[in-house]
Amino acid sequence: MSARTELRASEYWERLDHFLAAALDDLSRTRIEKLIRAGRVTVNGGTETRKSREIRAGDRVAVERESEETPAYVPSQSLRKLYEDEWLLVIDKPPGLAVHPGAGEKRETILDIFRHEYPRIGEMADLERPGIVHRLDKDTSGVLILAKSEEAVSAMQALFQERAMAKTYLALVAGAMRFRNGTIDRPLARSLRNRARFEVAGEDREDRREAITEFSVIREFARFTFVKLMPHTGRTHQLRVHLAHFGNPVLGDVLYNKSRGKDFPRLALHAFRIAFDHPFSGERVEVTRPLPRDLRQYMIEQLQAEP
């Protein structure tokens, strides 16, 4: 069950969260921000997830909060831990589970489970994405690093920015690659036609950003190729865009593959390995996660089908 509180602003407020904090003195600022982020606040009848939204005199604001009878959140699964110490947690991210909520995202995420299992991360300054230092696409599986404290977040983000993280991915890509190994050095920018996509950008794009991917072929099959990928930069969709640009899109990629996911039921991309020098202990940390069963089984079936 839920309780609904309806309010009407009598004056101008610069921010929605400030208005609610003044009007609802029984709710903490943290609780208010969580309600806004969860889509439980409406302004003039429309859902508002921006805490910085301006409120004008006469605006109608409604807040829906869970009553005491509402069952507590219980995750559908536990985090699959690969490495853990007092600062960091490295997990095996399953495909189909987003790392954190995106625009309009209502389904369970890695962050939801992380908050439940490690409630202290709720004390971090970043209320929207506490402990998130990097991300994997929703349908990508494999090694993902989470941080348990503000200090760990800052230290790990610095390692990523300094390109001090050695990352290796495995993928099944359409067709045969022209070269068995090499480096793709093509800058990327957001697509001007579809804001959900990125593309290789020409010199006329001022918003282009450097993107470098090293690759090597592991095995060729009749219709696809098993490849190892080592990104030296961490741009959004970098591996997917680079591969699609040269005619070898990742199987199951609904954004960049013309098959629209008909050649494999999910994005055939796996974060296999990550290695770095621990920012606090100084030790070399290397975590790997073997190729998941669905990708291994697919390759076995294709081998058996080949003449």
Side-chain angles (χ1 to χ4, degrees):
M1 296 179 64
S2 61
R4 183 180 176 87
T5 302
E6 298 188 358
L7 306 164
R8 182 179 289 273
S10 59
E11 59 183 340
Y12 172 80
W13 289 80
E14 289 186 351
R15 296 170 61 96
L16 170 61
D17 56 344
H18 293 176
F19 167 73
L20 291 177
L24 304 172
D25 55 9
D26 62 321
L27 293 181
S28 67
R29 184 68 61 84
T30 298
R31 180 59 179 155
I32 288 170
E33 292 185 2
K34 288 183 178 180
L35 288 170
I36 296 172
R37 186 173 61 247
R40 302 181 74 87
V41 176
T42 62
V43 177
N44 297 326
T47 300
E48 181 55 70
T49 58
R50 295 172 300 159
K51 62 184 180 182
S52 60
R53 161 73 180 265
E54 291 182 327
I55 298 299
R56 303 181 183 279
D59 281 350
R60 294 174 292 104
V61 181
V63 181
E64 186 174 345
R65 38 182 160 164
E66 298 175 348
S67 65
E68 295 181 357
E69 292 82 18
T70 302
Y73 164 68
V74 178
S76 65
Q77 57 189 289
S78 299
L79 297 176
R80 305 172 185 176
K81 302 176 184 179
L82 302 175
Y83 169 91
E84 183 174 14
D85 59 29
E86 61 182 295
W87 301 283
L88 305 173
L89 175 66
V90 185
I91 66 167
D92 174 21
K93 177 196 168 300
L97 195 61
V99 173
H100 55 72
E105 180 66 58
K106 300 297 183 183
R107 297 181 181 179
E108 183 178 59
T109 67
I110 291 292
L111 181 55
D112 293 326
I113 305 173
F114 188 32
R115 278 196 177 108
H116 183 268
E117 296 187 5
Y118 296 83
R120 287 190 62 183
I121 70 168
E123 301 173 5
M124 293 186 188
D126 185 353
L127 297 175
E128 296 186 358
R129 300 177 183 178
I132 304 299
V133 296
H134 71 126
R135 61 183 293 275
L136 298 176
D137 291 332
K138 181 177 180 179
D139 287 326
T140 298
S141 57
V143 181
L144 178 74
I145 302 173
L146 301 170
K148 296 181 180 180
S149 68
E150 297 276 10
E151 295 78 10
V153 169
S154 298
M156 296 306 293
Q157 287 179 339
L159 289 183
F160 277 99
Q161 291 169 1
E162 296 164 3
R163 302 183 185 178
M165 309 291 294
K167 297 173 290 182
T168 303
Y169 290 76
L170 300 176
L172 306 184
V173 304
M177 299 193 72
R178 183 177 179 184
F179 302 102
R180 293 199 61 84
N181 55 72
T183 300
I184 302 173
D185 186 353
R186 293 289 189 279
L188 304 181
R190 189 176 291 275
S191 171
L192 299 177
R193 297 181 179 180
N194 182 346
R195 301 299 291 174
R197 292 166 54 104
F198 288 79
E199 60 190 11
V200 169
E203 295 183 359
D204 59 323
R205 292 288 298 274
E206 294 184 357
D207 60 337
R208 69 186 186 278
R209 301 185 70 186
E210 180 186 33
I212 302 172
T213 302
E214 186 179 348
F215 71 90
S216 63
V217 172
I218 299 175
R219 178 159 187 162
E220 294 181 342
F221 291 76
R223 297 186 300 104
F224 65 93
T225 304
F226 182 29
V227 298
K228 178 170 68 173
L229 306 163
M230 290 152 286
H232 296 288
T233 51
R235 309 306 178 202
T236 301
H237 296 179
Q238 174 178 319
L239 302 179
R240 300 162 64 183
V241 176
H242 272 172
L243 290 163
H245 179 74
F246 285 97
N248 303 102
V250 178
L251 299 189
D253 193 335
V254 298
L255 269 180
Y256 301 103
N257 192 338
K258 293 181 180 179
S259 72
R260 295 294 185 266
K262 296 179 181 179
D263 48 14
F264 194 74
R266 61 104 165 171
L267 186 67
L269 182 62
H270 177 70
F272 169 70
R273 171 184 176 270
I274 197 162
F276 57 95
D277 291 331
H278 199 292
F280 300 107
S281 70
E283 69 173 328
R284 185 67 174 174
V285 177
E286 180 175 336
V287 184
T288 62
R289 181 58 183 167
L291 206 64
R293 179 179 298 179
D294 59 346
L295 297 181
R296 287 187 282 112
Q297 185 61 37
Y298 182 77
M299 286 191 285
I300 291 172
E301 293 173 354
Q302 294 305 307
L303 275 176
Q304 294 173 340
E306 290 180 4

